[in-house]
Amino acid sequence: MMPVSIMPIYTPNKLSLAVAIALALSGCSMIQPTPISAHSLAEQGQQDRSTAQDRVEPIREALSLDQAMARALKYNLDRRGKMMEEAMAFKQLDVSHFDMLPKLLAQAGYYWRDNDKISMSRNAQTGQLSSSQFISQEREHETTSLTLSWNLLDFGVGYFNTRQQADRILIAGEKRRKAMHLLMQDVRTAFWRAYAAQKLRGDVLATTKLAEEALSDSRKAESERVRNPVDALRYQRQLLENLRLLEAIDQELSTAKIELAALINVPIGQTFTLVAPEEIVSHDALAMPVSVMEEKVMIQNPDVREHYYNAHIAREETHKTLVRLFPNLIINYGYNYDTDKYLLNSNWREASAVLSFNIFNLLTGPSQMKLAEAGVALADQRRVAMQMAVLAQAHVARQQLASALNQFERADAIWETDRRISEHMKHREITQTQGKLESVANQTTAILSLLRRYQALAQAQAAEARLQATLGVEPLIGSVDEITLTDLSRDLSQKRNVWKTMSIDTDQAKIGQ
């Protein structure tokens, strides 16, 4: 007789499974890096630009400082990112609540083997192997189960994880506040630089044109030998120095509106007009007592509050470490079903309770607790260091504000003097008692004085915003997504002077005591 070879019989399900595995393996081996095409980048760039300007109200009138800050709070892209981070932290808290719930696991399985599962038995008394062979399992069978499981250790760890996530939400809120303070500070500085550019642009161009005409006339006179060559060259050098100064002023002011447009999310290149507020500087911040300032720093500064929450998270970590050292209790209850025909009971319920304890916790537990306590000590030390640093920062910011206000008053006085000199020189120019060089020099000096005045004003505004950010005070406004731009601008205008509000609150607190 010829030998008969036994070949495995493949059912359609088995063949499909084998083909799927083969395709998956071959697909994994063929994955190669694919660079993004230039067309895709350009198309995505257009979509991103459209997304950036989505639901952004166009500028229809002259833009005030309050309106610029309102637009920054509502439309600035970096601020949107911070707000999304806070929203994401809230969603993570919602997810972490589910970690404390029991696990409900549904399973379905398919089992196959190419031969029968045959078992034999041995006589316990004689030790002889029985000649009978038993098939105890089908070659193919399906199983399903639904199991409810509760882990005491997971519940405890999940509980403290949720508490930590709640603190992380508060940290995200403090980071958003800090970003808002920095944004308002940048908007103030950029607004006054842009306003200076708007105010000085015409004078700079007119004076530059006059200097160019004077330079051309001087070179013509030099070529015709009307004047002494040395005097002509000295005249030209002075004109060139003034031109260089005017060009430097124009270069400094040329990017101001672009920076402001980026902060308030206005399309680059769009023209808009700025209007200055009536009150440009205030000394109310310096009138606040130093003791009140120090108290506000300790209570409201975002960095200090963030380190408080970090210290609280470190303490929750010690609780998690302590929970992990306890014995673990796992309780299971489930329903099972099996299509195997050799089973007398194809469906059944089962329950279990398992108590376990890691013996090595007796050895590693003290070290783990010391590590967690060291983390708490580190967080406390960082909080103390941050408090002292922020306290010093508040005093520095107050001193910088006082210096900036003095510099602005000095620059304002110098500009007023140069403005009056320029007016007198214009009268002399009308009567033709001065040359173009003197006129260019006077106008350049006046422009430079006005520029320095606006620079000092921007520095004073930035110093006030820096002190306000250090103290952690800001106008009380609602959600920028739920309030209109007009209402937000009006609220900022009404609540712009936070220093008066702080003084009123301080006086009321003293009366209450």
Side-chain angles (χ1 to χ4, degrees):
M1 294 179 61
M2 296 184 63
V4 179
S5 60
I6 301 176
M7 300 293 293
I9 300 175
Y10 291 97
T11 64
N13 289 336
K14 303 172 189 174
L15 183 60
S16 300
L17 180 61
V19 171
I21 293 175
L23 290 176
L25 293 176
S26 62
C28 293
S29 62
M30 295 174 61
I31 296 177
Q32 298 294 332
T34 304
I36 303 176
S37 64
H39 175 73
S40 299
L41 287 172
E43 185 177 355
Q44 186 63 50
Q46 290 295 333
Q47 294 178 2
D48 291 344
R49 293 180 67 177
S50 300
T51 303
Q53 297 301 318
D54 185 29
R55 292 181 295 179
V56 176
E57 295 185 22
I59 299 177
R60 298 185 178 90
E61 58 184 8
L63 198 65
S64 66
L65 177 59
D66 295 323
Q67 291 171 341
M69 288 194 293
R71 283 184 171 273
L73 292 176
K74 196 170 181 65
Y75 302 133
N76 182 267
L77 298 178
D78 291 334
R79 174 170 167 77
R80 285 182 181 179
K82 292 295 182 183
M83 294 175 67
M84 288 181 178
E85 289 179 5
E86 187 176 8
M88 186 174 179
F90 272 103
K91 295 184 182 301
Q92 289 175 344
L93 177 62
D94 294 337
V95 172
S96 64
H97 281 98
F98 292 100
D99 293 337
M100 295 184 290
L101 297 178
K103 304 297 186 292
L104 185 61
L105 181 63
Q107 288 183 320
Y110 171 79
Y111 298 90
W112 170 85
R113 56 183 296 158
D114 63 346
N115 53 23
D116 291 321
K117 182 179 180 181
I118 301 175
S119 60
M120 301 177 64
S121 60
R122 185 184 300 276
N123 191 299
Q125 296 178 351
T126 62
Q128 292 182 355
L129 194 64
S130 173
S131 60
S132 301
Q133 298 181 355
F134 303 94
I135 298 177
S136 58
Q137 181 177 304
E138 279 192 287
R139 292 191 180 187
E140 294 184 46
H141 65 107
E142 299 173 359
T143 62
T144 56
S145 66
L146 185 64
T147 304
L148 182 68
S149 177
W150 187 70
N151 190 313
L152 181 61
L153 183 59
D154 289 345
F155 171 79
V157 173
Y159 173 76
F160 291 110
N161 279 336
T162 304
R163 289 171 62 93
Q164 288 178 320
Q165 187 58 42
D167 287 331
R168 292 188 181 97
I169 289 179
L170 300 175
I171 290 176
E174 297 304 326
K175 288 183 178 180
R176 177 186 53 79
R177 289 182 61 224
K178 184 177 180 180
M180 181 186 67
H181 289 146
L182 295 177
L183 176 61
M184 296 176 72
Q185 178 180 334
D186 292 340
V187 170
R188 280 192 182 189
T189 305
F191 178 89
W192 286 110
R193 290 186 68 247
Y195 184 78
Q198 173 183 295
K199 196 77 173 177
L200 297 176
R201 183 72 176 174
D203 293 339
V204 170
L205 293 178
T207 307
T208 301
K209 182 179 179 181
L210 180 62
E212 294 284 0
E213 292 176 355
L215 184 61
S216 177
D217 293 342
S218 176
R219 287 172 176 171
K220 182 177 179 181
E222 179 188 2
S223 63
E224 295 175 356
R225 298 185 179 276
V226 177
R227 298 180 60 182
N228 187 329
V230 176
D231 293 338
L233 290 174
R234 288 174 178 170
Y235 182 84
Q236 293 172 24
R237 189 183 186 283
Q238 293 177 2
L239 285 172
L240 290 171
E241 285 290 342
N242 286 312
L243 278 171
R244 184 175 66 175
L245 187 57
L246 290 170
E247 289 170 352
I249 294 173
D250 184 66
Q251 180 181 0
E252 180 177 349
L253 299 177
S254 60
T255 60
K257 275 199 172 182
I258 298 177
E259 295 174 0
L260 179 60
L263 289 172
I264 63 178
N265 196 13
V266 173
I268 304 300
Q270 178 178 337
T271 59
F272 54 90
T273 305
L274 303 177
V275 56
E278 297 180 358
E279 184 182 9
I280 55 179
V281 293
S282 173
H283 292 75
D284 293 335
L286 299 179
M288 182 177 58
V290 176
S291 58
V292 176
M293 179 188 72
E294 293 178 347
E295 181 181 355
K296 291 293 182 182
V297 167
M298 293 301 163
I299 296 175
Q300 298 183 189
N301 181 271
D303 290 325
V304 172
R305 294 168 67 92
E306 179 182 347
H307 277 72
Y308 267 110
Y309 297 133
N310 281 328
H312 192 255
I313 289 175
R315 285 179 170 80
E316 297 294 348
E317 192 66 30
T318 61
H319 299 154
K320 285 168 55 178
T321 302
L322 185 62
V323 166
R324 291 191 184 100
L325 299 179
F326 279 89
N328 187 23
L329 176 64
I330 302 176
I331 300 175
N332 297 308
Y333 179 81
Y335 173 82
N336 301 272
Y337 176 75
D338 197 325
T339 61
D340 192 346
K341 65 181 181 181
Y342 293 107
L343 291 175
L344 295 180
N345 297 315
S346 60
N347 56 74
W348 67 96
R349 293 182 179 89
E350 63 179 0
S352 64
V354 179
L355 184 65
S356 62
F357 179 70
N358 186 358
I359 304 300
F360 282 105
N361 283 343
L362 298 175
L363 301 177
T364 62
S367 299
Q368 294 179 21
M369 289 301 301
K370 288 181 180 179
L371 178 62
E373 291 170 357
V376 173
L378 177 60
D380 289 339
Q381 183 61 38
R382 286 176 175 172
R383 187 191 67 247
V384 172
M386 177 57 65
Q387 285 180 345
M388 296 302 103
V390 170
L391 192 61
Q393 183 180 349
H395 283 271
V396 170
R398 190 176 190 277
Q399 185 62 41
Q400 288 177 343
L401 176 59
S403 300
L405 290 174
N406 289 334
Q407 291 175 6
F408 169 73
E409 292 173 356
R410 189 69 63 197
D412 186 59
I414 293 174
W415 168 74
E416 181 64 24
T417 303
D418 287 337
R419 184 187 64 80
R420 295 171 62 185
I421 293 175
S422 179
E423 289 179 355
H424 287 298
M425 291 304 176
K426 284 182 180 179
H427 293 302
R428 293 179 60 182
E429 182 181 358
I430 293 173
T431 58
Q432 297 182 352
T433 58
Q434 70 168 357
K436 287 186 177 181
L437 174 61
E438 191 174 358
S439 177
V440 169
N442 289 327
Q443 292 183 28
T444 302
T445 302
I447 291 172
L448 183 60
S449 296
L450 185 56
L451 173 64
R452 288 173 176 170
R453 177 182 181 271
Y454 282 121
Q455 287 176 337
L457 176 59
Q459 291 296 325
Q461 291 278 339
E464 183 180 2
R466 194 178 305 115
L467 178 60
Q468 184 175 333
T470 305
L471 299 184
V473 295
E474 66 270 348
L476 298 178
I477 56 177
S479 174
V480 295
D481 291 332
E482 299 175 358
I483 189 173
T484 64
L485 182 62
T486 303
D487 293 338
L488 181 58
S489 302
R490 185 183 63 251
D491 290 347
L492 289 175
S493 177
Q494 294 175 351
K495 303 173 183 178
R496 183 195 312 161
N497 197 336
V498 297
W499 310 112
K500 290 184 179 179
T501 305
M502 290 175 59
S503 300
I504 294 174
D505 294 341
T506 303
D507 294 339
Q508 291 178 350
K510 290 181 178 178
I511 294 174
Q513 292 177 355

